[in-house]
Structures are given as structure tokens and as C-alpha cells.
Amino acid sequence: RLNLEPRREAHEKLTSGAYLLIRWSEAIERNKAGGLFQQPANAPAPWRKSMSMLTLQMPALPDPVKVVLQPATTALLVFDMIDRICKSQPNCTGVMVPALASLLARARKAGVFVLYSTREPESSKWMPEVAPAPDDPVVKSVGQDRFYNTDLDKTLKAKGITALILTGWKVSGSVVYTSVGATLRGYTVVVPTDASLAATDYEVAIGQFQILNQNSANATNEPLKANASTLSRTDMIVFQ
């Protein structure tokens, strides 16, 4: 079973054959009428239990890789690192905040364009360690894909940005959806695995898998594959 502890090494590798447990009893009940799920005659006892769990196996995820980015054409995007979301999530406070704080410091020193996004920026309290600087733009989001119905693409194109580092809460939400929106618009995407997590092991695994196997796939995690997404780690991102 997956066991991603809040330590850096936990994000270095999801070892081969990650097993996911999915509650599916409700799906069965919803679809009985349509005949999508049928109970075999020799079904084991777990099938008949109302809270049965189905074990599935997904391909092992490749290791995070080192990437070298040009500061002038790179933007670091930070999503939803706000008090009411992050403070109650151990993966956010214990792993993401320190990792992102270090990455932000290096990015700002290198001159990387930094941009924030959340749904209610006027009333949101950002986590102080990773809060926006006074001149950092904040995009008000209206969907999980931060390009949707916003000026994000226009803002980035005006700066000559071609590569995006996507961080924040959460990898199976705004980060995966924005990675799709970004690659569709011709950006090359980097997602540091220690700066974008979720509440559960399942969400983290599914989010990372989707990022690599989306519209513009990079299943082998080739570093900086054009118009695709790469999984890296904050200490493996170099600005030069």
C-alpha cells in the first residue's frame, strides 16, 4: 500500500506497483440498474460487503528529475497556500511550506516571475512563510484550471514566459488541471513533488500520474519535454 510520510525521501519515489484502495460500493449501487457491475457467481465475501474495497494496481511513477530553467522565461505559480486550506493539512504545513519557502527564496533571488492565485484573494490570509511579496500579482481564480476565464495566459505571455513551475494546494486539483491548461497553450511545465501534495496518498499518486499522462503525455518523465509536464523536486530545480 502507499505510505507517503511527510519527509523529503517519501517524495523521491513511489516504489513499483503502487496499490490503490478504492471504495466502490456506492458506485456499484448507483450502476446496478444499468448493468455496469455484475456480481460473479463465485464472488468472494468482500464483494458482498457493503463497504468492500477494490485493490487496483497502477504503473510505478518515475523518479523526479533535475531541471535547469532560465529565470527570464520562467514563472513560479503558487496556488491556494492560504490559512484556511493549508493550516489543517499536515502535508501542507509539514512538507509543502518549507519546500516552497526555499524555492521561492531562490527563485526571487534569480529574478523569476512569481505569481499567486486563489479564489478569494481579497479576504484570504496566506501562509506567512510563502506569502506574496508586495509586487507579486495575484490572480483571482474561478476554476481549478487557473487559466480558465482569467488573464493568466495574457499576463504570462506579456512577460515572455515559456516555462511554468506549478506549486501549491493541491496536486490532484488546481495543479493537475492547470498543467493541462498550460500545455494546451504551449507552456513547458515543471511540478515539484514536495511543493504540491494533497491530503491522501491516493490523491497524490493519482495527481502525479495524471500530470505525466495528460493531453501532452510525458510518461517517462523526460526532463523539460516541450509542451508537456515534468515531475521534479524543489532541490532539483536549478535557475541559470
Side-chain angles (χ1 to χ4, degrees):
R1 301 306 193 271
L2 288 175
N3 181 23
L4 302 183
E5 299 177 8
R7 303 192 300 264
R8 179 170 300 280
E9 61 265 28
H11 308 287
E12 292 182 350
K13 185 175 184 180
L14 290 175
T15 54
S16 61
Y19 285 90
L20 306 179
L21 290 178
I22 304 172
R23 180 182 296 178
W24 53 277
S25 57
E26 293 181 5
I28 292 176
E29 293 300 322
R30 287 197 302 270
N31 290 282
K32 274 182 178 178
L36 299 180
F37 291 91
Q38 297 180 5
Q39 178 175 328
N42 61 346
W47 181 289
R48 298 187 293 272
K49 292 181 180 179
S50 62
M51 296 302 290
S52 296
M53 306 295 282
L54 179 65
T55 301
L56 301 177
Q57 186 174 9
M58 62 179 287
L61 288 167
D63 292 334
V65 293
K66 178 181 177 180
V67 296
V68 179
L69 297 166
Q70 298 179 0
T73 56
T74 299
L76 171 55
L77 277 56
V78 182
F79 302 148
D80 295 329
M81 295 295 287
I82 58 177
D83 184 274
R84 67 178 178 82
I85 292 177
C86 183
K87 200 169 184 180
S88 63
Q89 299 289 346
N91 273 347
C92 193
T93 56
V95 181
M96 290 173 57
V97 167
L100 181 54
S102 175
L103 180 62
L104 276 167
R106 292 194 297 110
R108 294 187 194 283
K109 185 176 180 180
V112 171
F113 179 57
V114 179
L115 181 146
Y116 287 72
S117 177
T118 194
R119 184 172 291 275
E120 299 174 344
E122 300 87 357
S123 58
S124 297
K125 181 181 178 183
W126 295 90
M127 297 295 288
E129 302 92 333
V130 294
D135 57 346
D136 289 338
V138 180
V139 172
K140 183 174 183 177
S141 64
V142 294
Q144 294 277 34
D145 179 358
R146 301 307 163 95
F147 287 97
Y148 175 71
N149 208 24
T150 70
D151 288 332
L152 178 57
D153 188 43
K154 181 180 178 181
T155 300
L156 296 172
K157 294 283 174 53
K159 293 278 188 180
I161 300 299
T162 58
L164 305 179
I165 305 171
L166 303 184
T167 69
W169 196 262
K170 61 183 176 175
V171 69
S172 56
S174 60
V175 172
V176 67
Y177 285 104
T178 304
S179 74
V180 175
T183 57
L184 285 171
R185 291 168 173 83
Y187 295 98
T188 297
V189 174
V190 174
V191 178
T193 58
D194 53 347
S196 183
L197 294 169
T200 65
D201 301 341
Y202 169 80
E203 291 178 280
V204 173
I206 290 297
Q208 292 179 359
F209 181 83
Q210 288 179 314
I211 285 168
L212 291 182
N213 294 275
Q214 50 146 302
N215 163 69
S216 182
N218 185 18
T220 61
N221 204 29
E222 175 188 336
L224 298 180
K225 181 179 179 181
N227 305 330
S229 296
T230 300
L231 292 180
S232 186
R233 208 175 54 222
T234 55
D235 64 335
M236 301 176 79
I237 297 175
V238 177
F239 301 111
Q240 70 176 35

